[in-house]
Amino acid sequence: MSFFENYYKKINISPPLCHFVLGSGFSSSLDKIKKLDSFNNWEERQICSFSDVPQLPSPTVKSHAGLYRFFVHKKSNKCISFQCGRLHLYEGHSAQTVVEPVIQILLAGTKHFVLSNISGGLKKEHTVGTVIALSDHVNFTGTSPLIGKEKTTPEGKKLGHRFPDMSRIYDLETREKISKELLKLKVRVSPGVYVGLCGPELESPAQIEWLNRSSKALFDAVGMSTVLEAIALKQAGAKLAGFSLISNPACGIDPNYSELSFSQMISNIEEPILKILQAYFNYSEGFL
């Protein structure tokens, strides 16, 4: 039996119906959501640290708390979970370790995932605060979580296909439902393609120009996460969606934009982050 299967029994919850992965800047806003109407039907049941999960390293990035937080609906007693922070290649982890936080949850019974991140906008119209509802992605990290031996469950059962189809990574129905909730909250939403790079350095103007020219403007957002998790979850049979919040114009897109800093990116998006979390809770009511 996996760690989380035992953990759910210990805290008396069922496996979460949906697991939301929260990127940079999101974690602190999860406490603020409790004061809003969107949270009235929910209560927080438990918080679990990455450090409590065997063989799972803690994040080294300040804006990634490394916590699992479990919320139970007061009437139905159904559960959803939020992963506050993630692991990255640039921290020195392998691709297999990067996806372990979501795979642990999947193996314990959750099959529905929503991935979130902040990113640089690759088009002028994708201004700060715009949410890109991922229709697809390009993995430019240089690696894959599927490299190595075929993936299996702890019981030795084969986990997905050796050569999984990636033609429909992100679920259209989930994307449209959450996008609808975001639009109700007056958040700008646009479907688009996310490019995942390794990092941790921010992209140079030449990199951004090459991404745009080589793709003939196919790409919408660029960042350093999400694609590896999406690959691993899709291969394992999960239903998933992805949302990327534009925190800044990518380098060179806006000639009037000053030198980028991480703290500036986070401060740019505090209000839209709160609205995204509201939309996630509103969307979750549909599971009940």
Side-chain angles (χ1 to χ4, degrees):
M1 187 175 290
S2 71
F3 169 84
F4 278 110
E5 286 175 301
N6 282 320
Y7 186 78
Y8 297 157
K9 288 184 178 181
K10 181 180 178 181
I11 65 173
N12 192 30
I13 64 170
S14 56
L17 295 173
C18 188
H19 182 71
F20 298 88
V21 179
L22 305 181
S24 298
F26 280 76
S27 299
S28 59
S29 295
L30 199 51
D31 289 318
K32 298 177 184 178
I33 199 76
K34 295 180 180 180
K35 301 176 183 179
L36 303 178
D37 290 342
S38 305
F39 191 77
N40 286 343
N41 294 327
W42 300 87
E43 64 178 7
E44 187 162 15
R45 179 63 55 87
Q46 193 60 268
I47 299 176
C48 175
S49 171
F50 278 25
S51 61
D52 294 330
V53 183
Q55 300 180 330
L56 193 63
S58 297
T60 61
V61 184
K62 187 177 180 180
S63 60
H64 289 259
L67 300 173
Y68 296 95
R69 299 178 66 170
F70 299 91
F71 295 84
V72 174
H73 194 265
K74 294 176 182 178
K75 294 180 180 179
S76 69
N77 210 36
K78 299 291 179 62
C79 178
I80 60 175
S81 55
F82 287 81
Q83 181 183 312
C84 299
R86 50 163 53 97
L87 303 175
H88 303 83
L89 288 174
Y90 63 72
E91 295 175 83
H93 301 303
S94 68
Q96 290 76 15
T97 299
V98 166
V99 305
E100 193 63 22
V102 292
I103 292 300
Q104 290 258 9
I105 294 292
L106 179 138
L107 292 174
T110 298
K111 301 301 181 186
H112 195 140
F113 291 77
V114 176
L115 309 177
S116 316
N117 63 53
I118 67 170
S119 62
L122 289 169
K123 296 177 180 176
K124 289 183 179 180
E125 61 265 32
H126 296 333
T127 53
V128 173
T130 300
V131 172
I132 305 300
L134 303 192
S135 58
D136 206 345
H137 74 229
V138 174
N139 177 17
F140 277 167
T141 66
T143 188
S144 167
L146 308 185
I147 291 173
K149 294 181 180 179
E150 288 195 66
K151 306 307 172 187
T152 60
T153 68
E155 295 78 28
K157 294 182 179 179
K158 190 175 178 180
L159 187 63
H161 194 277
R162 180 57 164 161
F163 305 102
D165 174 49
M166 292 285 152
S167 58
R168 295 180 181 86
I169 302 172
Y170 300 101
D171 180 66
L172 177 60
E173 181 184 10
T174 304
R175 186 175 86 213
E176 289 183 341
K177 285 182 177 179
I178 294 179
S179 294
K180 185 177 180 180
E181 295 296 337
L182 288 167
L183 290 169
K184 288 179 184 177
L185 296 167
K186 298 183 173 16
V187 176
R188 297 187 301 275
V189 184
S190 176
V193 178
Y194 176 83
V195 182
L197 305 181
C198 179
E201 73 281 358
L202 299 176
E203 301 77 32
S204 70
Q207 278 181 295
I208 297 303
E209 185 177 358
W210 176 79
L211 285 172
N212 278 331
R213 285 193 180 188
S214 64
S215 72
K216 297 182 180 179
L218 171 66
F219 306 145
D220 295 272
V222 60
M224 305 172 191
S225 69
T226 304
V227 294
L228 300 183
E229 295 155 329
I231 291 168
L233 289 169
K234 179 67 175 177
Q235 192 258 358
K239 183 178 182 181
L240 66 144
F243 293 87
S244 186
L245 174 60
I246 302 299
S247 61
N248 58 279
C251 195
I253 294 295
D254 183 354
N256 298 317
Y257 205 78
S258 60
E259 183 175 335
L260 295 175
S261 70
F262 190 73
S263 59
Q264 178 188 11
M265 294 178 200
I266 299 300
S267 65
N268 285 344
I269 52 175
E270 291 178 356
E271 183 179 346
I273 282 176
L274 198 59
K275 290 184 177 181
I276 290 171
L277 294 176
Q278 284 182 264
Y280 286 169
F281 277 100
N282 292 341
Y283 165 72
S284 296
E285 296 278 350
F287 284 104
L288 311 173

